[in-house]
Amino acid sequence: MIQAIVFLPLIGALIAGLGGRLLGHRPAELVTTGLLIVAAVLSWVVFIPVAFGDGLVGATADGHTAVVKVEIMRWIQVNDMDLRWVLRVDTLTAIMLVVVNTVSSLVHLYSIGYMNDDPHRARFFAYLSLFTFAMLMLVTADNFLQMFFGWEGVGLASYLLIGFWYTRPSANAAAMKAFIVNRVGDFGFALGIFGAFMVLGHLDFDGAFHAVEGASGMTLGFLGIQWDAMTIVCLLLFMGAMGKSAQFLLHTWLPDAMEGPTPVSALIHAATMVTAGVFMVARLSPLFESSPTAMTVVMVIGAITAFFAATVGLVQNDIKRVIAYSTCSQLGYMFVALGTGAFSAGIFHLFTHAFFKALLFLGAGAVIHAMHHEQDMRNMGGLRHKIPITYAMMLIGTLALTGVGIPGSEIFGFAGFFSKDSIIEAAYAYGGNVGSFAFWLLVVAALFTSFYSWRLIHLTFHGSPRDAQHSHTAHPEPAHAALDSHDEPLADDHVGHDHHHGSAYDNAHEAPAVMLVPLYVLAAGAVLTGAVFYGMFFHDVEHIEHFFAGSIVVDHELIEAAHAVPLWVKWSATIAMLIGFATAWYMYIRSPATPVRLAESNPGLYKFLLNKWYFDELYDTIFVRPAKWLGTALWKGFDDWLIDETLVEGLGHRVKDVTARVVKLQSGYLYHYAFVMLIGVAALLTWVIASGGLSR
């Protein structure tokens, strides 16, 4: 069964990718989608006994670890190192199998309707299934190299999906940006793997975990300074997580990745690729627990990311970019949980986030579909009357994202309420300056999250339609539209469309059933997963220990302290959410002119947020332009001038001239050659006589 879960998506990718033209688009869609649905059902079959039964079926107890290992083949054997290709399934893996395959199968089903008019959709479905297979290889890895294989496979597939519409320069640029930024993080990840092997002496996870205690106190020399070995290893591994999970400093690729089709955004940026870094840190929790410094860095970077992305999300106009920055912010929450040592809370938020964020992305796709591929929220409004089902689904996703619930209640609350509040409570319980820093940034980020989420709802679904009055402008600037009314051009979600023939609002229509069914399933997850699984992930320490069965480290003291935080801490996120909701309602329903006045009265702050803290411009100045200058210098100076003009062309012309003169000596007449030979013999005899004759 485990083999089927992992390899069914690969089979679908091969069938659609290699036989798509022969089979046709519809069979390719049905085959890949059907195989993913089977894989998703089997994933739940594996997970349900873990969550509600006696544990993983077929698992063997190894100390406190319950794990199933399925060997595929012998892989690498060098001296004493014997690495097998093994599918490792424990509780953490079972959670990820459910997340990846459930969301992927729903995205496949949704894409049948969304990509219906695309002439290359067989290739699109092949890429989706390939991406899913790569992610499954990552989460079932039993050693560092196997994880790296899936890690890089996900990077390749994301490049193909983001740049799917390869005829668009913006899509190509976004795909390249994602690929290159991730290579920066992956360079650190590779060094971390090398370091782990050097320090721990093992590449398989079990061997490495058992060797961690023996590595205590070991140092590595660099630049004449001795550094704690495990700290260096963990920081390098976390560098890979920063790139893959779009953390602060390596986050710039995530918003641009919206150039891909909307289903890609739901798959990559809600449930799979961006959560790979969170999964990796949780999987390697025994390593990270050995380095308090590395844990502190993880928490600080996560808190900054949550705050930073939330501030930028305040001023976005593209409906997909708002949700993209929300994803970046929520990933920051997850890393804060990991940094505090509440690994179960981080995985809990990963689990719930997959459902409500995929719901929001696919809901946004339904809005774009209804508005004939319009993505600018300033050109929307009043859509709740045209697409009421999509509106209801987006409302559910927003309630889950903003964390609507009753603090202290274990029954009422949407998914994000339980998981996000758990992280905020853990950050406060961690204590100290770092804990307080993370706690307050997360609370402020919760306020901003509520504001931009309800801003999206108000601009898109409430008020009066605004598309008709802007049918001839690339950048409509209604007085009541948005805080950032001078945003840069948006990237449309399809190629070659024209939504200026009449009113997009008048022609708006509900998505077909094949697109709505996935929304219903995800909405159920956004409502129920928090309340149903809260006890397993965060409520009771003994229950958490039993549920995870040693697949992650469980910090008893921290979790108990998180439950004992003051009442105002438990209410802090809810109060922040209510403030954000009230502010968004006032600005975009009650007083629509207020956002424009705020932007005009605070131009510096407005531009700072609008330009995403100027990170793209900063990196362009520091890295891109010098790289282009160096490339141009090598191209023009070295290749063109030195190689082509000086060596090849210059020397070639001189050789050609000499050769032309020498060739003239070749007349072709026999008596000319005989005369030259006679002169040569005479010259030779003259030299012999002049030198004193032949020696005996």
Side-chain angles (χ1 to χ4, degrees):
M1 182 165 60
I2 303 301
Q3 297 96 317
I5 292 173
V6 174
F7 289 103
L8 283 177
L10 177 61
I11 294 172
L14 293 175
I15 292 174
L18 300 179
R21 291 187 177 181
L22 180 64
L23 293 174
H25 294 299
R26 183 62 68 189
E29 294 171 347
L30 297 178
V31 168
T32 53
T33 303
L35 292 176
L36 254 298
I37 291 174
V38 172
V41 172
L42 293 178
S43 298
W44 281 98
V45 171
V46 171
F47 176 71
I48 288 175
V50 177
F52 304 104
D54 296 327
L56 196 64
V57 176
T60 57
D62 179 14
H64 292 292
T65 302
V67 59
V68 171
K69 294 188 177 184
V70 179
E71 182 174 333
I72 302 300
M73 64 178 182
R74 298 187 72 177
W75 188 26
I76 299 175
Q77 187 174 17
V78 180
N79 294 330
D80 295 333
M81 183 176 68
D82 186 6
L83 281 183
R84 311 295 179 99
W85 196 282
V86 175
L87 303 180
R88 177 192 183 99
V89 180
D90 53 16
T91 301
L92 181 60
T93 305
I95 294 169
M96 295 303 297
L97 291 179
V98 165
V99 168
V100 173
N101 282 326
T102 301
V103 174
S104 181
S105 62
L106 295 174
V107 168
H108 275 72
L109 182 62
Y110 179 93
S111 299
I112 293 177
Y114 192 84
M115 302 294 289
N116 184 58
D117 297 329
D118 194 282
H120 307 291
R121 56 188 183 276
R123 176 166 58 88
F124 178 76
F125 279 83
Y127 290 169
L128 284 182
S129 293
L130 177 64
F131 181 93
T132 307
F133 167 72
M135 190 67 192
L136 293 174
M137 294 309 303
L138 192 159
V139 301
T140 58
D142 190 48
N143 57 70
F144 283 101
L145 292 187
Q146 195 176 331
M147 177 179 279
F148 192 73
F149 171 83
W151 193 272
E152 294 304 310
V154 168
L156 169 64
S158 66
Y159 171 81
L160 296 173
L161 286 169
I162 295 169
F164 177 73
W165 287 313
Y166 56 86
T167 57
R168 294 165 51 182
S170 58
N172 283 325
M176 286 295 296
K177 186 175 183 179
F179 195 80
I180 292 171
V181 173
N182 272 276
R183 295 292 73 71
V184 175
D186 293 353
F187 176 69
F189 186 52
L191 291 179
I193 293 175
F194 300 154
F197 182 58
M198 181 177 69
V199 173
L200 303 175
H202 295 273
L203 283 175
D204 65 289
F205 291 148
D206 290 335
F209 296 161
H210 285 106
V212 169
E213 186 175 352
S216 178
M218 187 179 299
T219 60
L220 293 174
F222 182 67
L223 298 177
I225 303 175
Q226 294 297 315
W227 307 83
D228 181 72
M230 289 308 302
T231 297
I232 294 299
V233 169
C234 290
L235 288 178
L236 288 171
L237 292 171
F238 178 60
M239 184 176 173
M242 288 175 64
K244 199 66 72 181
S245 295
Q247 291 301 282
F248 187 70
L249 300 179
L250 293 180
H251 64 277
T252 54
W253 67 270
L254 184 63
D256 290 352
M258 297 301 105
E259 287 289 342
T262 297
V264 172
S265 304
L267 181 62
I268 295 181
H269 308 120
T272 50
M273 176 175 170
V274 294
T275 62
V278 179
F279 167 81
M280 183 267 287
V281 174
R283 168 63 77 206
L284 304 180
S285 56
L287 274 66
F288 281 85
E289 276 285 320
S290 68
S291 173
T293 301
M295 295 285 281
T296 300
V297 171
V298 172
M299 181 163 52
V300 170
I301 292 294
I304 294 174
T305 303
F307 174 78
F308 154 76
T311 62
V312 177
L314 297 173
V315 296
Q316 296 300 304
N317 286 326
D318 185 332
I319 188 172
K320 288 172 61 177
R321 284 180 180 263
V322 174
I323 305 174
Y325 278 107
S326 172
T327 297
C328 189
S329 181
Q330 297 305 305
L331 288 167
Y333 277 88
M334 298 176 204
F335 278 107
V336 168
L338 301 179
T340 63
F343 294 98
S344 62
I347 297 301
F348 187 23
H349 198 47
L350 182 156
F351 183 68
T352 61
H353 176 265
F355 290 95
F356 63 74
K357 189 52 63 68
L359 174 62
L360 287 171
F361 267 120
L362 295 185
V367 172
I368 295 169
H369 180 270
M371 291 294 290
H372 307 282
H373 312 300
E374 174 63 72
Q375 294 179 218
D376 192 335
M377 296 185 298
R378 296 168 298 184
N379 294 344
M380 300 179 188
L383 286 177
R384 71 183 187 278
H385 303 298
K386 287 287 188 176
I387 47 175
I389 297 177
T390 300
Y391 172 58
M393 297 298 101
M394 290 289 284
L395 269 183
I396 292 174
T398 300
L399 292 170
L401 171 61
T402 56
V404 174
I406 300 177
S409 170
E410 298 178 10
I411 300 175
F412 178 76
F414 289 82
F417 164 74
F418 290 98
S419 57
K420 187 162 65 174
D421 282 27
S422 299
I423 296 172
I424 292 175
E425 292 166 11
Y428 183 87
Y430 185 84
N433 293 332
V434 176
S436 297
F437 172 80
F439 168 75
W440 286 111
L441 284 188
L442 294 186
V443 171
V444 174
L447 189 155
F448 291 162
T449 299
S450 179
F451 176 84
Y452 66 64
S453 298
W454 289 109
R455 170 179 174 266
L456 183 152
I457 293 295
H458 295 325
L459 287 177
T460 304
F461 296 101
H462 297 158
S464 58
R466 296 182 297 274
D467 67 305
Q469 58 183 309
H470 308 297
S471 61
H472 300 292
T473 60
H475 280 296
E477 299 180 11
H480 59 286
L483 184 63
D484 49 333
S485 57
H486 305 285
D487 203 352
E488 69 275 1
L490 298 170
D492 294 319
D493 206 328
H494 276 279
V495 182
H497 68 268
D498 184 1
H499 56 267
H500 299 323
H501 295 296
S503 170
Y505 175 83
D506 293 337
N507 297 322
H509 54 88
E510 196 68 82
V514 73
M515 293 174 61
L516 293 178
V517 169
L519 299 184
Y520 300 149
V521 178
L522 293 170
V527 173
L528 299 175
T529 52
V532 172
F533 295 100
Y534 174 68
M536 303 169 193
F537 284 93
F538 194 71
H539 178 59
D540 183 72
V541 175
E542 286 72 21
H543 200 170
I544 297 171
E545 284 275 16
H546 176 74
F547 177 59
F548 280 98
S551 59
I552 61 172
V553 174
V554 179
D555 190 331
H556 290 236
E557 294 183 1
L558 178 70
I559 293 176
E560 291 174 354
H563 292 308
V565 297
L567 186 61
W568 70 268
V569 174
K570 293 180 179 292
W571 276 89
S572 59
T574 299
I575 293 172
M577 178 269 296
L578 293 174
I579 294 173
F581 168 79
T583 306
W585 175 85
Y586 178 79
M587 287 189 176
Y588 296 99
I589 300 296
R590 181 71 175 83
S591 178
T594 299
V596 175
R597 289 200 301 267
L598 280 176
E600 293 174 348
S601 60
N602 299 278
L605 176 61
Y606 163 72
K607 291 181 180 179
F608 181 70
L609 298 180
L610 183 62
N611 288 282
K612 298 155 286 192
W613 291 27
Y614 291 101
F615 270 103
D616 284 324
E617 291 79 3
L618 179 64
Y619 288 168
D620 184 68
T621 302
I622 296 176
F623 301 112
V624 178
R625 291 182 183 178
K628 286 183 177 180
W629 179 87
L630 179 61
T632 302
L634 293 175
W635 168 32
K636 297 292 186 180
F638 181 77
D639 188 55
D640 281 2
W641 178 76
L642 181 60
I643 301 299
D644 290 346
E645 296 181 10
T646 304
L647 296 181
V648 177
E649 296 180 2
L651 185 59
H653 284 310
R654 292 184 179 88
V655 171
K656 181 179 178 181
D657 293 340
V658 172
T659 303
R661 293 187 178 94
V662 172
V663 166
K664 293 180 179 179
L665 298 176
Q666 305 294 327
S667 65
Y669 294 107
L670 182 60
Y671 59 85
H672 286 173
Y673 300 143
F675 177 70
V676 172
M677 291 176 62
L678 179 61
I679 293 176
V681 171
L684 178 62
L685 291 175
T686 302
W687 178 77
V688 170
I689 294 171
S691 61
L694 297 172
S695 59
R696 293 184 181 275

mmCIF file of all heavy atoms in Angstrom, residues 43-75:
data_model
loop_
_atom_site.group_PDB
_atom_site.id
_atom_site.type_symbol
_atom_site.label_atom_id
_atom_site.label_comp_id
_atom_site.label_asym_id
_atom_site.label_seq_id
_atom_site.Cartn_x
_atom_site.Cartn_y
_atom_site.Cartn_z
ATOM 1 N N SER A 43 -3.882 7.152 1.577
ATOM 2 C CA SER A 43 -3.197 7.944 2.603
ATOM 3 C C SER A 43 -4.054 8.072 3.853
ATOM 4 O O SER A 43 -3.555 7.983 4.985
ATOM 5 C CB SER A 43 -2.854 9.336 2.053
ATOM 6 O OG SER A 43 -1.977 9.248 0.953
ATOM 7 N N TRP A 44 -5.355 8.279 3.665
ATOM 8 C CA TRP A 44 -6.256 8.343 4.817
ATOM 9 C C TRP A 44 -6.382 6.978 5.487
ATOM 10 O O TRP A 44 -6.543 6.901 6.715
ATOM 11 C CB TRP A 44 -7.628 8.857 4.378
ATOM 12 C CG TRP A 44 -7.660 10.340 4.209
ATOM 13 C CD1 TRP A 44 -7.544 11.044 3.047
ATOM 14 C CD2 TRP A 44 -7.800 11.320 5.250
ATOM 15 N NE1 TRP A 44 -7.597 12.401 3.290
ATOM 16 C CE2 TRP A 44 -7.755 12.601 4.629
ATOM 17 C CE3 TRP A 44 -7.953 11.244 6.631
ATOM 18 C CZ2 TRP A 44 -7.869 13.775 5.372
ATOM 19 C CZ3 TRP A 44 -8.066 12.417 7.365
ATOM 20 C CH2 TRP A 44 -8.021 13.668 6.734
ATOM 21 N N VAL A 45 -6.310 5.925 4.705
ATOM 22 C CA VAL A 45 -6.342 4.575 5.282
ATOM 23 C C VAL A 45 -5.146 4.363 6.202
ATOM 24 O O VAL A 45 -5.251 3.721 7.256
ATOM 25 C CB VAL A 45 -6.371 3.511 4.159
ATOM 26 C CG1 VAL A 45 -6.172 2.106 4.731
ATOM 27 C CG2 VAL A 45 -7.679 3.586 3.390
ATOM 28 N N VAL A 46 -4.006 4.916 5.834
ATOM 29 C CA VAL A 46 -2.815 4.827 6.679
ATOM 30 C C VAL A 46 -2.941 5.735 7.895
ATOM 31 O O VAL A 46 -2.559 5.370 9.011
ATOM 32 C CB VAL A 46 -1.550 5.203 5.868
ATOM 33 C CG1 VAL A 46 -0.335 5.336 6.774
ATOM 34 C CG2 VAL A 46 -1.294 4.168 4.787
ATOM 35 N N PHE A 47 -3.514 6.929 7.710
ATOM 36 C CA PHE A 47 -3.519 7.937 8.772
ATOM 37 C C PHE A 47 -4.580 7.688 9.842
ATOM 38 O O PHE A 47 -4.340 7.927 11.033
ATOM 39 C CB PHE A 47 -3.750 9.320 8.151
ATOM 40 C CG PHE A 47 -3.866 10.433 9.149
ATOM 41 C CD1 PHE A 47 -2.751 10.872 9.852
ATOM 42 C CD2 PHE A 47 -5.089 11.038 9.400
ATOM 43 C CE1 PHE A 47 -2.848 11.893 10.773
ATOM 44 C CE2 PHE A 47 -5.206 12.062 10.317
ATOM 45 C CZ PHE A 47 -4.078 12.496 11.012
ATOM 46 N N ILE A 48 -5.752 7.222 9.464
ATOM 47 C CA ILE A 48 -6.855 7.089 10.425
ATOM 48 C C ILE A 48 -6.503 6.178 11.602
ATOM 49 O O ILE A 48 -6.791 6.526 12.760
ATOM 50 C CB ILE A 48 -8.133 6.612 9.700
ATOM 51 C CG1 ILE A 48 -8.686 7.760 8.839
ATOM 52 C CG2 ILE A 48 -9.191 6.149 10.694
ATOM 53 C CD1 ILE A 48 -9.877 7.379 7.990
ATOM 54 N N PRO A 49 -5.873 5.010 11.393
ATOM 55 C CA PRO A 49 -5.479 4.216 12.565
ATOM 56 C C PRO A 49 -4.486 4.948 13.479
ATOM 57 O O PRO A 49 -4.496 4.732 14.691
ATOM 58 C CB PRO A 49 -4.830 2.973 11.941
ATOM 59 C CG PRO A 49 -5.404 2.889 10.575
ATOM 60 C CD PRO A 49 -5.597 4.300 10.134
ATOM 61 N N VAL A 50 -3.654 5.807 12.899
ATOM 62 C CA VAL A 50 -2.719 6.575 13.713
ATOM 63 C C VAL A 50 -3.469 7.580 14.577
ATOM 64 O O VAL A 50 -3.163 7.776 15.761
ATOM 65 C CB VAL A 50 -1.702 7.310 12.814
ATOM 66 C CG1 VAL A 50 -0.764 8.165 13.646
ATOM 67 C CG2 VAL A 50 -0.908 6.313 11.989
ATOM 68 N N ALA A 51 -4.464 8.229 13.985
ATOM 69 C CA ALA A 51 -5.185 9.284 14.697
ATOM 70 C C ALA A 51 -6.236 8.749 15.655
ATOM 71 O O ALA A 51 -6.399 9.283 16.760
ATOM 72 C CB ALA A 51 -5.838 10.220 13.677
ATOM 73 N N PHE A 52 -6.928 7.696 15.248
ATOM 74 C CA PHE A 52 -8.079 7.254 16.044
ATOM 75 C C PHE A 52 -7.981 5.789 16.486
ATOM 76 O O PHE A 52 -8.880 5.296 17.158
ATOM 77 C CB PHE A 52 -9.374 7.436 15.245
ATOM 78 C CG PHE A 52 -9.590 8.842 14.776
ATOM 79 C CD1 PHE A 52 -9.364 9.180 13.447
ATOM 80 C CD2 PHE A 52 -9.980 9.835 15.647
ATOM 81 C CE1 PHE A 52 -9.554 10.480 12.999
ATOM 82 C CE2 PHE A 52 -10.173 11.140 15.218
ATOM 83 C CZ PHE A 52 -9.952 11.464 13.894
ATOM 84 N N GLY A 53 -6.901 5.108 16.101
ATOM 85 C CA GLY A 53 -6.750 3.706 16.469
ATOM 86 C C GLY A 53 -5.581 3.483 17.405
ATOM 87 O O GLY A 53 -5.230 4.332 18.233
ATOM 88 N N ASP A 54 -4.956 2.342 17.243
ATOM 89 C CA ASP A 54 -3.851 1.962 18.120
ATOM 90 C C ASP A 54 -2.491 2.354 17.565
ATOM 91 O O ASP A 54 -1.463 2.024 18.149
ATOM 92 C CB ASP A 54 -3.885 0.443 18.358
ATOM 93 C CG ASP A 54 -5.149 0.020 19.093
ATOM 94 O OD1 ASP A 54 -5.621 0.814 19.925
ATOM 95 O OD2 ASP A 54 -5.649 -1.084 18.822
ATOM 96 N N GLY A 55 -2.492 3.011 16.431
ATOM 97 C CA GLY A 55 -1.218 3.431 15.868
ATOM 98 C C GLY A 55 -1.060 2.971 14.442
ATOM 99 O O GLY A 55 -2.000 2.451 13.818
ATOM 100 N N LEU A 56 0.130 3.148 13.921
ATOM 101 C CA LEU A 56 0.420 2.831 12.531
ATOM 102 C C LEU A 56 0.317 1.332 12.297
ATOM 103 O O LEU A 56 0.963 0.528 12.986
ATOM 104 C CB LEU A 56 1.821 3.339 12.179
ATOM 105 C CG LEU A 56 2.187 3.457 10.714
ATOM 106 C CD1 LEU A 56 1.318 4.491 10.027
ATOM 107 C CD2 LEU A 56 3.655 3.832 10.574
ATOM 108 N N VAL A 57 -0.504 0.937 11.338
ATOM 109 C CA VAL A 57 -0.685 -0.471 11.033
ATOM 110 C C VAL A 57 0.614 -1.041 10.474
ATOM 111 O O VAL A 57 1.206 -0.502 9.545
ATOM 112 C CB VAL A 57 -1.829 -0.666 10.019
ATOM 113 C CG1 VAL A 57 -1.944 -2.135 9.622
ATOM 114 C CG2 VAL A 57 -3.139 -0.170 10.602
ATOM 115 N N GLY A 58 1.058 -2.156 11.063
ATOM 116 C CA GLY A 58 2.275 -2.800 10.589
ATOM 117 C C GLY A 58 3.541 -2.230 11.166
ATOM 118 O O GLY A 58 4.636 -2.656 10.795
ATOM 119 N N ALA A 59 3.435 -1.265 12.084
ATOM 120 C CA ALA A 59 4.630 -0.642 12.645
ATOM 121 C C ALA A 59 5.264 -1.553 13.679
ATOM 122 O O ALA A 59 4.611 -2.339 14.358
ATOM 123 C CB ALA A 59 4.281 0.700 13.275
ATOM 124 N N THR A 60 6.568 -1.438 13.808
ATOM 125 C CA THR A 60 7.316 -2.147 14.833
ATOM 126 C C THR A 60 7.829 -1.144 15.837
ATOM 127 O O THR A 60 8.296 -0.069 15.467
ATOM 128 C CB THR A 60 8.501 -2.912 14.225
ATOM 129 O OG1 THR A 60 9.332 -1.987 13.519
ATOM 130 C CG2 THR A 60 8.016 -3.976 13.260
ATOM 131 N N ALA A 61 7.731 -1.477 17.103
ATOM 132 C CA ALA A 61 8.171 -0.558 18.151
ATOM 133 C C ALA A 61 9.679 -0.633 18.288
ATOM 134 O O ALA A 61 10.252 -1.697 18.444
ATOM 135 C CB ALA A 61 7.499 -0.912 19.469
ATOM 136 N N ASP A 62 10.311 0.514 18.213
ATOM 137 C CA ASP A 62 11.758 0.625 18.382
ATOM 138 C C ASP A 62 11.986 1.686 19.452
ATOM 139 O O ASP A 62 12.119 2.868 19.156
ATOM 140 C CB ASP A 62 12.428 1.026 17.066
ATOM 141 C CG ASP A 62 13.940 1.183 17.223
ATOM 142 O OD1 ASP A 62 14.457 0.728 18.241
ATOM 143 O OD2 ASP A 62 14.554 1.782 16.322
ATOM 144 N N GLY A 63 12.007 1.263 20.715
ATOM 145 C CA GLY A 63 12.050 2.236 21.789
ATOM 146 C C GLY A 63 10.709 2.938 21.843
ATOM 147 O O GLY A 63 9.672 2.336 22.069
ATOM 148 N N HIS A 64 10.723 4.239 21.614
ATOM 149 C CA HIS A 64 9.490 5.031 21.591
ATOM 150 C C HIS A 64 9.057 5.338 20.159
ATOM 151 O O HIS A 64 8.192 6.167 19.945
ATOM 152 C CB HIS A 64 9.694 6.337 22.350
ATOM 153 C CG HIS A 64 9.883 6.138 23.819
ATOM 154 N ND1 HIS A 64 8.883 5.695 24.645
ATOM 155 C CD2 HIS A 64 10.975 6.306 24.603
ATOM 156 C CE1 HIS A 64 9.334 5.611 25.892
ATOM 157 N NE2 HIS A 64 10.596 5.976 25.893
ATOM 158 N N THR A 65 9.685 4.704 19.176
ATOM 159 C CA THR A 65 9.394 5.017 17.787
ATOM 160 C C THR A 65 8.572 3.915 17.145
ATOM 161 O O THR A 65 8.919 2.746 17.244
ATOM 162 C CB THR A 65 10.703 5.217 16.992
ATOM 163 O OG1 THR A 65 11.451 6.252 17.605
ATOM 164 C CG2 THR A 65 10.409 5.583 15.556
ATOM 165 N N ALA A 66 7.496 4.277 16.510
ATOM 166 C CA ALA A 66 6.696 3.337 15.733
ATOM 167 C C ALA A 66 6.828 3.739 14.280
ATOM 168 O O ALA A 66 6.431 4.841 13.905
ATOM 169 C CB ALA A 66 5.242 3.363 16.173
ATOM 170 N N VAL A 67 7.393 2.858 13.483
ATOM 171 C CA VAL A 67 7.688 3.224 12.108
ATOM 172 C C VAL A 67 7.572 2.003 11.212
ATOM 173 O O VAL A 67 7.882 0.880 11.624
ATOM 174 C CB VAL A 67 9.105 3.844 11.996
ATOM 175 C CG1 VAL A 67 10.167 2.871 12.477
ATOM 176 C CG2 VAL A 67 9.395 4.294 10.576
ATOM 177 N N VAL A 68 7.106 2.219 10.003
ATOM 178 C CA VAL A 68 7.092 1.190 8.971
ATOM 179 C C VAL A 68 8.110 1.577 7.918
ATOM 180 O O VAL A 68 8.117 2.722 7.446
ATOM 181 C CB VAL A 68 5.691 1.063 8.328
ATOM 182 C CG1 VAL A 68 5.741 0.154 7.106
ATOM 183 C CG2 VAL A 68 4.690 0.537 9.342
ATOM 184 N N LYS A 69 8.972 0.645 7.558
ATOM 185 C CA LYS A 69 9.982 0.900 6.532
ATOM 186 C C LYS A 69 9.813 -0.114 5.407
ATOM 187 O O LYS A 69 9.803 -1.324 5.648
ATOM 188 C CB LYS A 69 11.394 0.819 7.113
ATOM 189 C CG LYS A 69 11.703 1.916 8.126
ATOM 190 C CD LYS A 69 13.173 1.895 8.526
ATOM 191 C CE LYS A 69 13.500 3.028 9.487
ATOM 192 N NZ LYS A 69 14.943 3.079 9.824
ATOM 193 N N VAL A 70 9.696 0.414 4.202
ATOM 194 C CA VAL A 70 9.527 -0.432 3.023
ATOM 195 C C VAL A 70 10.736 -0.219 2.119
ATOM 196 O O VAL A 70 10.937 0.875 1.580
ATOM 197 C CB VAL A 70 8.232 -0.082 2.266
ATOM 198 C CG1 VAL A 70 8.096 -0.968 1.034
ATOM 199 C CG2 VAL A 70 7.026 -0.216 3.179
ATOM 200 N N GLU A 71 11.541 -1.256 1.973
ATOM 201 C CA GLU A 71 12.743 -1.138 1.143
ATOM 202 C C GLU A 71 12.386 -1.298 -0.332
ATOM 203 O O GLU A 71 11.721 -2.258 -0.728
ATOM 204 C CB GLU A 71 13.785 -2.180 1.546
ATOM 205 C CG GLU A 71 15.077 -2.064 0.749
ATOM 206 C CD GLU A 71 16.168 -2.998 1.248
ATOM 207 O OE1 GLU A 71 16.146 -3.344 2.445
ATOM 208 O OE2 GLU A 71 17.028 -3.380 0.425
ATOM 209 N N ILE A 72 12.859 -0.341 -1.115
ATOM 210 C CA ILE A 72 12.623 -0.377 -2.558
ATOM 211 C C ILE A 72 13.788 -1.038 -3.282
ATOM 212 O O ILE A 72 13.602 -1.903 -4.135
ATOM 213 C CB ILE A 72 12.391 1.043 -3.106
ATOM 214 C CG1 ILE A 72 11.207 1.704 -2.388
ATOM 215 C CG2 ILE A 72 12.148 1.009 -4.607
ATOM 216 C CD1 ILE A 72 9.900 0.973 -2.525
ATOM 217 N N MET A 73 15.003 -0.630 -2.932
ATOM 218 C CA MET A 73 16.183 -1.205 -3.586
ATOM 219 C C MET A 73 17.441 -0.796 -2.824
ATOM 220 O O MET A 73 17.418 0.114 -1.996
ATOM 221 C CB MET A 73 16.284 -0.712 -5.037
ATOM 222 C CG MET A 73 16.500 0.780 -5.154
ATOM 223 S SD MET A 73 16.681 1.326 -6.866
ATOM 224 C CE MET A 73 16.964 3.087 -6.637
ATOM 225 N N ARG A 74 18.525 -1.492 -3.108
ATOM 226 C CA ARG A 74 19.830 -1.046 -2.626
ATOM 227 C C ARG A 74 20.266 0.108 -3.507
ATOM 228 O O ARG A 74 20.148 0.065 -4.723
ATOM 229 C CB ARG A 74 20.848 -2.176 -2.684
ATOM 230 C CG ARG A 74 20.489 -3.357 -1.812
ATOM 231 C CD ARG A 74 21.604 -4.378 -1.761
ATOM 232 N NE ARG A 74 22.718 -3.871 -0.964
ATOM 233 C CZ ARG A 74 23.827 -4.591 -0.704
ATOM 234 N NH1 ARG A 74 23.939 -5.812 -1.203
ATOM 235 N NH2 ARG A 74 24.793 -4.084 0.020
ATOM 236 N N TRP A 75 20.830 1.129 -2.891
ATOM 237 C CA TRP A 75 21.071 2.366 -3.632
ATOM 238 C C TRP A 75 22.554 2.691 -3.718
ATOM 239 O O TRP A 75 23.160 2.634 -4.787
ATOM 240 C CB TRP A 75 20.295 3.507 -2.956
ATOM 241 C CG TRP A 75 20.298 4.792 -3.714
ATOM 242 C CD1 TRP A 75 20.448 4.958 -5.060
ATOM 243 C CD2 TRP A 75 20.147 6.104 -3.173
ATOM 244 N NE1 TRP A 75 20.387 6.286 -5.392
ATOM 245 C CE2 TRP A 75 20.201 7.015 -4.247
ATOM 246 C CE3 TRP A 75 19.947 6.599 -1.894
ATOM 247 C CZ2 TRP A 75 20.086 8.395 -4.076
ATOM 248 C CZ3 TRP A 75 19.822 7.967 -1.712
ATOM 249 C CH2 TRP A 75 19.890 8.858 -2.799
#
